[in-house]
Amino acid sequence: MKKFDSPESFDQAVESGEQLLVLKHSSTCPVSGAAFEEYESFVKEHQDVNAYYLVVQDDRPLSNHIAEAFHIKHESPQAILFNNGDVAWHASHWKITYDSLVNAVKENR
């Protein structure tokens, strides 16, 4: 799991066209904590997936950039799957589970 360091690094990753999974989460929210654990479990078992995360408190400009560039309402936690440079799937809150991540990646390969 990698962490983006700027909107530019995010843009480069998306523009590559490769499948990319991003988790936006809050470091202070229990629901976000649960989603992060599900995401970590998924990433550990699916190391072939380009998985990234960002902490909204630390990376608010990037979080806003993603919401604005792809017209997705900001939520936290929020998982977003990019494929071919566009959003293929997204989910928030309790809908971010190991199984939902497996299904999203599998259905959008």
Side-chain angles (χ1 to χ4, degrees):
M1 208 171 15
K2 299 165 240 163
K3 190 174 177 191
F4 286 115
D5 58 3
S6 69
E8 293 79 20
S9 64
F10 165 79
D11 288 342
Q12 286 177 339
V14 170
E15 288 168 5
S16 75
E18 294 182 21
Q19 191 176 65
L20 176 74
L21 187 60
V22 178
L23 180 73
K24 295 166 45 174
H25 84 104
S26 164
S27 59
T28 58
C29 170
V31 176
S32 248
F36 192 80
E37 287 178 12
E38 294 285 318
Y39 191 74
E40 276 186 315
S41 294
F42 171 81
V43 171
K44 283 180 185 173
E45 293 189 24
H46 299 87
Q47 294 188 10
D48 59 321
V49 175
N50 290 321
Y52 291 83
Y53 74 100
L54 65 95
V55 179
V56 293
Q57 289 94 332
D58 299 338
D59 298 310
R60 192 61 183 187
L62 176 55
S63 180
N64 290 342
H65 173 72
I66 294 169
E68 291 167 13
F70 292 94
H71 309 287
I72 298 175
K73 179 185 163 213
H74 164 76
E75 297 189 74
S76 177
Q78 185 174 43
I80 307 169
L81 180 68
F82 295 90
N83 211 3
N84 298 317
D86 204 359
V87 174
W89 171 89
H90 64 95
S92 66
H93 297 85
W94 294 112
K95 293 179 182 170
I96 302 170
T97 64
Y98 178 91
D99 290 339
S100 71
L101 295 167
V102 167
N103 290 334
V105 168
K106 189 166 95 175
E107 290 173 8
N108 291 287
R109 290 232 167 196

